[in-house]
Amino acid sequence: MRKTLLILFLLLAMGGLSCAEALPLAAVLDTHVQFERYQSFHLDGSTGEWSAHTLVADQLLSAIQQGEAGGSMGGGVCILYPGVRGNRDLSLLEPVLYVYLFRSSPIQAGALSIATGGVRYDFALAAEETTVEPRKCERFALPLDEEMLLLLESFAAEGGEIRIYGESKVFRTSVAEADEYRNSKQRVEAMSIAAVRDFLALWPEGYGLWDLNAAHWPDGRPEAAAVALDANVWADTLPALEPTTQCLDTEDRDAVRAYQQLLKDRAFFTGKVDAVFGKITREATRQVQAFYGLVPTGMPDRVLIGFLLGGAQEQEETEQTGAFTPLAESVAQALPGEAYAVEGQFSLRLDRAWTAYSFAPSRAAEGMNRLWPSNRSSYLYLCDGEVTNLSGASMSLPMALQGSLLLDGVAFPCTVQCERDQGGALGTTLLPMETARLVIACELPEGTDAQAAGLQVTLQGASSAIQLQFSA
């Protein structure tokens, strides 16, 4: 294979290439600093992991501690607020939704649903028993991915319906703002909406390291799914469903009896058809949900019943074309996220850039295969995307791709690597026709602000070039 040079220039000067497309900066150094002023901020100096929540969340917890909804604890009071956790060294951020159920007697909660904005978000994760002095409660800690962040945006706009599923009981509440509240329970629960809004005002717009978050905090991540609430797809043969969540109305005995009989007809239920939605029916529901690949909340809904009735539609398979834009000449407006074939030998795509004190492959074991600067007075400038070997021979990335970053007249070398071992490690070799995640890293001295000015990048082959721009 003819050796092709790829020269990576990251130029501080904004002159020239003014029409280059902006490549989003996914994260910056010391993101945690903005949260340090909050009383809830906690940093583990040994691991670099930190967490925090906002002042409105503190007020919400204080309202519970002061007993403002104490008269409603028999039936139950539910509050929620988002927090954020991250890692100082990896520039990672992740929203975490905390949901508390205060009740005179616990229900041994193992799942919950939040319906808002025409979507129901389901989570299957056992709640932990904890205390918000002086009251005992059950608490869920739910890490949210990019899709689930929409839950917060919808809840901030209109509130929502919350259902928490215990072993033998289902707790329900509707959270909404009002000019006047009928009781203190409604007023305290509605404070959750203000807590969500306060958090969203702080969340960095355009954050783009979600996939790295998922690898870094694997323990305790709940099974989750978003279900569109569309009454138009209800079947006439469905048992009675609650309109706000499209879950089975477990207080409707005829609906429960019809659902139990449906389970029995499909050989999923050996108990008595007694119209009681108890532990046996709930466990059977979890088994059916697992069988069909659904989130095992233990609560039947329109989707599950649709499978049991044989009306679920199979997902259509889509083929990826793998089409590339050939570079016959210089492309001054190459788009981030679009793949370009360089002289028929390989294709390149760049998606994002960020700064960090260390980097780990997306599926690396904790503490393994991490890339660090050579000393503590340096940091990493990183960008990633995808590279595909289009040739019939193995490709050595250091031979085919070379890069440097020009900063204040000094050229800093870049390392060009790809992920290997299903994302568990970094490597330098691509097999014929192989595709892998591309990672470009440059070590810079502490004190330089590489991203502040808006950097420009030129990817140049022997007879063609791509020009992109990094934006802070």
Side-chain angles (χ1 to χ4, degrees):
M1 181 183 80
R2 187 176 68 178
K3 178 179 177 182
T4 305
L5 295 180
L6 172 67
I7 304 175
L8 174 63
F9 293 102
L10 301 181
L11 306 175
L12 277 176
M14 291 299 290
L17 310 183
S18 59
C19 59
E21 186 76 15
L23 187 68
L25 190 69
V28 298
L29 287 173
D30 301 327
T31 308
H32 65 283
V33 172
Q34 66 173 312
F35 296 97
E36 288 183 345
R37 65 182 184 273
Y38 294 102
Q39 183 177 357
S40 62
F41 179 80
H42 173 75
L43 171 65
D44 187 327
S46 61
T47 64
E49 296 183 8
W50 58 270
S51 62
H53 58 256
T54 67
L55 296 177
V56 177
D58 284 331
Q59 295 173 8
L60 180 56
L61 293 172
S62 178
I64 292 293
Q65 290 176 316
Q66 295 173 15
E68 294 189 26
S72 301
M73 293 299 173
V77 176
C78 179
I79 64 170
L80 61 84
Y81 64 85
V84 61
R85 65 180 179 180
N87 187 284
R88 173 195 57 199
D89 297 329
L90 299 179
S91 297
L92 296 180
L93 287 173
E94 183 172 54
V96 181
L97 182 62
Y98 298 98
V99 181
Y100 292 78
L101 174 60
F102 297 89
R103 199 171 181 275
S104 298
S105 57
I107 66 172
Q108 297 179 308
L112 82 158
S113 299
I114 302 175
T116 178
V119 179
R120 194 189 71 242
Y121 299 87
D122 296 332
F123 300 90
L125 178 70
E128 62 173 347
E129 293 192 11
T130 185
T131 301
V132 177
E133 292 294 345
R135 303 187 182 280
K136 294 183 178 181
C137 61
E138 296 174 87
R139 187 186 80 159
F140 294 94
L142 309 171
L144 303 181
D145 58 16
E146 188 173 11
E147 179 183 13
M148 292 297 173
L149 190 65
L150 298 176
L151 183 164
L152 300 184
E153 296 173 354
S154 295
F155 193 87
E158 60 185 63
E161 182 86 7
I162 302 173
R163 292 168 59 106
I164 298 178
Y165 311 124
E167 285 300 314
S168 58
K169 295 182 180 296
V170 179
F171 171 84
R172 303 172 177 84
T173 190
S174 181
V175 180
E177 290 184 304
D179 295 332
E180 295 183 3
Y181 297 101
R182 293 198 305 269
N183 51 53
S184 58
K185 164 184 160 65
Q186 288 186 338
R187 181 179 58 79
V188 171
E189 289 183 339
M191 290 176 64
S192 300
I193 299 176
V196 174
R197 288 175 182 163
D198 193 33
F199 172 82
L200 290 176
L202 297 176
W203 182 256
E205 184 178 357
Y207 178 74
L209 300 180
W210 296 99
D211 53 329
L212 300 183
N213 291 336
H216 189 71
W217 290 291
D219 297 333
R221 298 187 67 84
E223 293 187 66
V227 179
L229 301 177
D230 185 0
N232 294 325
V233 299
W234 288 16
D236 294 336
T237 54
L238 289 180
L241 304 178
E242 293 185 348
T244 54
T245 61
Q246 292 188 3
C247 290
L248 181 71
D249 186 351
T250 56
E251 296 181 356
D252 185 324
R253 292 181 60 85
D254 290 338
V256 174
R257 182 181 292 105
Y259 171 69
Q260 290 176 328
Q261 187 61 53
L262 184 58
L263 289 178
K264 202 174 190 69
D265 293 343
R266 300 295 185 271
F268 285 113
F269 184 67
T270 58
K272 181 180 179 181
V273 179
D274 57 3
V276 177
F277 195 85
K279 291 184 179 180
I280 296 177
T281 306
R282 188 176 305 282
E283 182 57 33
T285 300
R286 291 194 187 101
Q287 294 177 7
V288 178
Q289 288 170 325
F291 180 82
Y292 287 118
L294 304 174
V295 175
T297 62
M299 176 55 60
D301 68 343
R302 169 179 56 81
V303 177
L304 176 62
I305 296 172
F307 273 108
L308 291 171
L309 292 173
Q313 297 181 355
E314 297 183 1
Q315 296 182 351
E316 296 182 0
E317 296 184 0
T318 58
E319 296 183 0
Q320 297 182 353
T321 60
F324 304 110
T325 303
L327 293 182
E329 57 186 5
S330 179
V331 177
Q333 293 181 320
L335 298 174
E338 183 170 345
Y340 294 88
V342 180
E343 298 165 349
Q345 300 299 313
F346 55 88
S347 73
L348 294 168
R349 191 191 75 216
L350 289 181
D351 297 326
R352 60 188 175 181
W354 72 99
T355 53
Y357 288 108
S358 68
F359 170 77
S362 55
R363 296 184 182 275
E366 178 64 24
M368 301 294 290
N369 301 309
R370 183 174 293 184
L371 179 65
W372 293 91
S374 58
N375 59 71
R376 294 185 178 180
S377 62
S378 302
Y379 69 97
L380 299 175
Y381 192 90
L382 301 147
C383 61
D384 71 348
E386 187 177 86
V387 59
T388 299
N389 182 358
L390 301 178
S391 71
S394 295
M395 172 191 293
S396 172
L397 285 177
M399 294 288 290
L401 313 177
Q402 297 178 4
S404 64
L405 183 150
L406 189 63
L407 182 61
D408 294 336
V410 179
F412 295 89
C414 296
T415 60
V416 184
Q417 303 178 76
C418 62
E419 284 192 344
R420 308 296 307 164
D421 302 334
Q422 298 183 346
L426 295 173
T428 59
T429 303
L430 279 177
L431 296 174
M433 310 307 294
E434 184 178 15
T435 297
R437 181 186 179 204
L438 176 69
V439 178
I440 302 174
C442 181
E443 182 176 343
L444 295 174
E446 190 81 55
T448 59
D449 194 1
Q451 75 275 5
L455 300 174
Q456 293 171 350
V457 55
T458 299
L459 306 180
Q460 184 172 328
S463 61
S464 54
I466 309 174
Q467 296 170 356
L468 294 161
Q469 177 177 314
F470 293 85
S471 61

